[in-house]
Amino acid sequence: MKAFLKAGIAFAIAGAGLAHAATELVVATVNNGHMIEMQKLTPFFEKAYPDIKLKWVTLEEGTLRQRVTTDIATKGGQFDVMTIGMYETPIWAKKGWLKEIATDAAYDVDDLLPAIRAGLSEGGKLYASPFYGESSMLMYRKDLADKVGFKMPEQPTWEQVKEFAGKAHDPKAGVYGMCLRGKPGWGDNMAFFTTLVNTNGGQWFDMQWKPQIDTKPWKDALTFYVDIMKSYGPPGASANSFNENLALFNEGKCAMWVDATIAASFISDPKQSKVADKVGFAQAPVAVTPKGANWLWAWALAVPAGSQKVEAAEKFVKWATSKDYIKLVAKEQGWHAVPTGTRKSTYATPEFLKAAKFADAEKKALDTANPNDSTLPKSPYVGVQFAAIPEFQAIGVAVGQQISAALSGKVTIEQALKTSQAAAEREMRKAGYYK
């Protein structure tokens, strides 16, 4: 009898343990500053939701894209929450790979910035919640501009930027005139380089979906890019993407940097940046046209359709992309450190506007980026720094490798464009866009 009683008690205890076993959510994200901060705030989420535990998989941008794309396409089920962007969201939603984000009044979906919300929606429904949004802009050293007598316009031309780069370039003092992305990848160097192509009057595809890479606007853009980086860039620039350039700028080694607006909160933070009090902001530079000169992107959280933990995953997604999360970061780190580019309410908060001297330039960049009209000639695709078609990922990677090779001097500008054009034509033919 006692044995049965002991077994019964043991079973009851085990059962009670099972009843309270926490749901483990595996969250795949990118190794950017705001995501690292989100991981530090895990205890706040787990306190609010004691039945959910978070397990983080933090990866470099290119690796993250490969891993989540493979996982969702093969229904691998490795991740319960994925960090994806404006490129993947509408394509994957159309394929039925993502759960629609079920929002309530507390979440206030109408508070999301219209361009960001639209980019993460398909058929008027939200399929990924923006964690932070970004455009691109010019960040520069005001002290160096004053020193060489250069007045930065609110929206400079690339020729004006090159002039300042030449004056400020002082490698002996460890200062380089211009820092730009060089690392190959459709979301690395090609995010920046496509905007340079756009403003030079180029595009990825014409209205018949024919690639337009081996053309004058692309040649003008690549010639300028290689020239400015060889003349005034840091050594080894072809290996640098966002994080590498951020580190260089924070060390005081870049006179200028054109990149994601989200960088502004890091370079103006005295805890991270040696030049925090010397930074100025301007709109992304223009050449032939202002169209497509600044990109539009959001890193967002999505739930794969095949997830076995949808309810818990949705709780986390809503928590991490809410107004309350922004207030939590402000309380823990200060208003200058909050993830920006997602909500109207952030830009209506006096404390944020006071702490973030970049707020006006960032908001203007976000408001002027138009993914539906980003090229001078008419284009058949949506997207500023990418074309929202499944084939673009492979094309962007192939072209990114050629652009990086041209920057490092491994191939000529002409070779890079010719090889890129052939690779793009091959992919588009294979996909049946034309014969």
Side-chain angles (χ1 to χ4, degrees):
M1 184 70 186
K2 282 182 183 173
F4 279 118
L5 197 59
K6 280 181 185 171
I9 291 167
F11 184 75
I13 291 167
L18 286 172
H20 295 289
T23 301
E24 185 182 73
L25 286 183
V26 182
V27 184
T29 196
V30 69
N31 64 340
N32 289 352
H34 284 306
M35 280 72 170
I36 304 294
E37 184 57 38
M38 176 168 52
Q39 290 169 55
K40 289 180 191 167
L41 298 174
T42 293
F44 289 91
F45 174 77
E46 291 182 347
K47 191 179 175 187
Y49 298 96
D51 56 336
I52 304 172
K53 295 283 174 235
L54 301 179
K55 183 183 176 186
W56 296 92
V57 178
T58 308
L59 303 162
E60 192 184 29
E61 191 169 316
T63 311
L64 173 81
R65 287 201 168 102
Q66 287 168 353
R67 289 274 302 273
V68 298
T69 302
T70 302
D71 188 60
I72 203 160
T74 59
K75 298 185 171 63
Q78 274 185 290
F79 308 117
D80 303 300
V81 177
M82 294 177 163
T83 305
I84 62 174
M86 284 187 167
Y87 168 69
E88 298 93 345
T89 303
I91 295 172
W92 292 3
K94 268 185 198 163
K95 288 177 182 281
W97 290 355
L98 301 175
K99 293 290 288 183
E100 183 191 343
I101 303 291
T103 56
D104 52 21
Y107 186 78
D108 193 4
V109 73
D110 291 332
D111 185 46
L112 298 178
L113 293 174
I116 299 292
R117 181 180 173 183
L120 297 170
S121 297
E122 173 57 35
K125 294 174 180 177
L126 192 69
Y127 282 93
S129 290
F131 180 66
Y132 70 76
E134 64 183 33
S135 183
S136 53
M137 64 181 176
L138 174 71
M139 297 158 275
Y140 69 99
R141 290 273 299 279
K142 285 193 292 189
D143 59 324
L144 296 180
D146 291 344
K147 185 180 169 186
V148 300
F150 185 87
K151 176 130 182 64
M152 185 66 73
E154 189 190 350
Q155 181 156 49
T157 64
W158 273 108
E159 286 304 327
Q160 287 171 319
V161 163
K162 192 175 180 182
E163 180 195 337
F164 176 41
K167 289 179 175 177
H169 187 62
D170 188 0
K172 282 182 184 169
V175 176
Y176 304 99
M178 175 58 84
C179 291
L180 294 171
R181 297 184 184 195
K183 185 179 180 179
W186 73 263
D188 289 291
N189 63 343
M190 294 316 295
F192 163 72
F193 190 73
T194 300
T195 63
L196 188 59
V197 169
N198 291 341
T199 195
N200 271 283
Q203 62 187 153
W204 276 100
F205 308 102
D206 68 12
M207 289 305 287
Q208 284 71 49
W209 289 105
K210 294 276 174 72
Q212 297 297 300
I213 300 167
D214 201 4
T215 58
K216 185 178 185 298
W218 277 77
K219 188 176 182 182
D220 291 347
L222 187 52
T223 303
F224 182 89
Y225 171 69
V226 169
D227 183 37
I228 196 170
M229 292 305 286
K230 280 192 172 169
S231 302
Y232 311 123
S238 60
N240 294 345
S241 194
F242 177 84
N243 286 328
E244 291 81 8
N245 283 322
L246 175 61
L248 285 169
F249 198 101
N250 281 346
E251 283 295 314
K253 294 185 174 179
C254 302
M256 274 180 298
W257 180 28
V258 179
D259 212 301
T261 51
I262 204 74
S265 56
F266 305 127
I267 62 173
S268 57
D269 176 6
K271 289 182 197 162
Q272 301 183 46
S273 170
K274 291 179 180 175
V275 293
D277 59 340
K278 300 177 175 69
V279 184
F281 305 96
Q283 295 304 296
V286 296
V288 174
T289 174
K291 281 190 176 191
N294 54 311
W295 73 60
L296 186 68
W297 184 255
W299 277 118
L301 302 176
V303 181
S307 172
Q308 303 300 306
K309 304 168 187 174
V310 171
E311 196 181 332
E314 284 188 343
K315 283 177 184 172
F316 172 72
V317 168
K318 280 190 245 185
W319 175 82
T321 62
S322 65
K323 292 181 197 175
D324 286 341
Y325 177 83
I326 290 168
K327 287 175 189 164
L328 173 64
V329 177
K331 182 168 169 270
E332 294 296 312
Q333 295 291 325
W335 273 102
H336 70 279
V338 303
T340 58
T342 59
R343 290 184 170 272
K344 299 170 195 171
S345 53
T346 304
Y347 297 91
T349 304
E351 295 92 335
F352 170 69
L353 296 175
K354 189 180 173 189
K357 54 188 177 181
F358 55 84
D360 287 343
E362 177 183 60
K363 181 76 162 45
K364 186 173 181 184
L366 283 160
D367 288 345
T368 53
N370 184 353
N372 296 305
D373 184 20
S374 61
T375 57
L376 192 57
K378 205 164 160 39
S379 294
Y381 54 88
V382 173
V384 183
Q385 77 283 18
F386 59 85
I389 56 171
E391 297 72 26
F392 178 75
Q393 199 162 346
I395 293 170
V397 168
V399 177
Q401 286 165 347
Q402 291 300 312
I403 300 302
S404 189
L407 178 60
S408 61
K410 290 174 185 166
V411 299
T412 65
I413 287 164
E414 289 74 15
Q415 282 174 311
L417 296 177
K418 197 174 177 185
T419 305
S420 297
Q421 177 75 18
E425 284 179 0
R426 196 163 50 245
E427 284 291 331
M428 296 303 276
R429 270 203 199 91
K430 195 168 77 181
Y433 282 83
Y434 56 87
K435 290 177 182 176

